[in-house]
Amino acid sequence: MKKLSKVQLKQQAAVLDAVTKLEQLALLELPGTLQCWFSLEYEAFPGSLLVRLQFADQAMLEAALPQLLTWQKRLSGLMLKKGIVLKDMRKHLVFTLNAPDE
């Protein structure tokens, strides 16, 4: 794997911090939340950022879906505090049942 540049390390740290805060909020406020993780391509950042919020089962996921826009706004706000603007917040956060290794 290629070594990350200083800029890429800063981007990764900022995203990791924002996603960790989002995960902590979700664990408190959304029943059935298991974890939160992200993927990104540094060459296409921030457009390539995709954060996934994993739920325990389909019923919990369906119960949380009406709140998806609220959580997308929260992610956008957390990223903005880090100086990263997400142009279309709806593209960057999804609710899922899949684990990171699936």
Side-chain angles (χ1 to χ4, degrees):
M1 189 171 145
K2 185 175 106 176
K3 190 174 178 180
L4 298 177
S5 71
K6 287 184 180 186
V7 171
Q8 290 170 333
L9 289 171
K10 281 184 180 181
Q11 290 171 342
Q12 185 181 44
V15 171
L16 184 60
D17 187 54
V19 169
T20 300
K21 287 178 181 172
L22 187 77
E23 179 181 49
Q24 291 169 347
L25 287 170
L27 288 169
L28 292 172
E29 297 178 25
L30 287 175
T33 302
L34 295 178
Q35 63 181 334
C36 190
W37 77 95
F38 69 93
S39 62
L40 62 93
E41 295 173 21
Y42 293 100
E43 300 80 28
F45 183 78
S48 65
L49 175 65
L50 180 58
V51 178
R52 296 170 186 89
L53 200 54
Q54 181 185 355
F55 287 86
D57 58 44
Q58 187 67 34
M60 297 292 187
L61 175 66
E62 288 174 9
L65 278 177
Q67 301 176 50
L68 179 58
L69 182 60
T70 301
W71 286 90
Q72 290 168 333
K73 288 178 182 178
R74 283 185 173 183
L75 174 64
S76 183
L78 289 168
M79 294 301 292
L80 190 58
K81 286 181 182 177
K82 298 289 179 188
I84 300 167
V85 177
L86 300 177
K87 291 185 180 179
D88 183 4
M89 65 185 167
R90 288 184 174 97
K91 292 186 347 183
H92 299 286
L93 175 69
V94 295
F95 290 171
T96 185
L97 294 174
N98 297 334
D101 54 356
E102 292 180 15

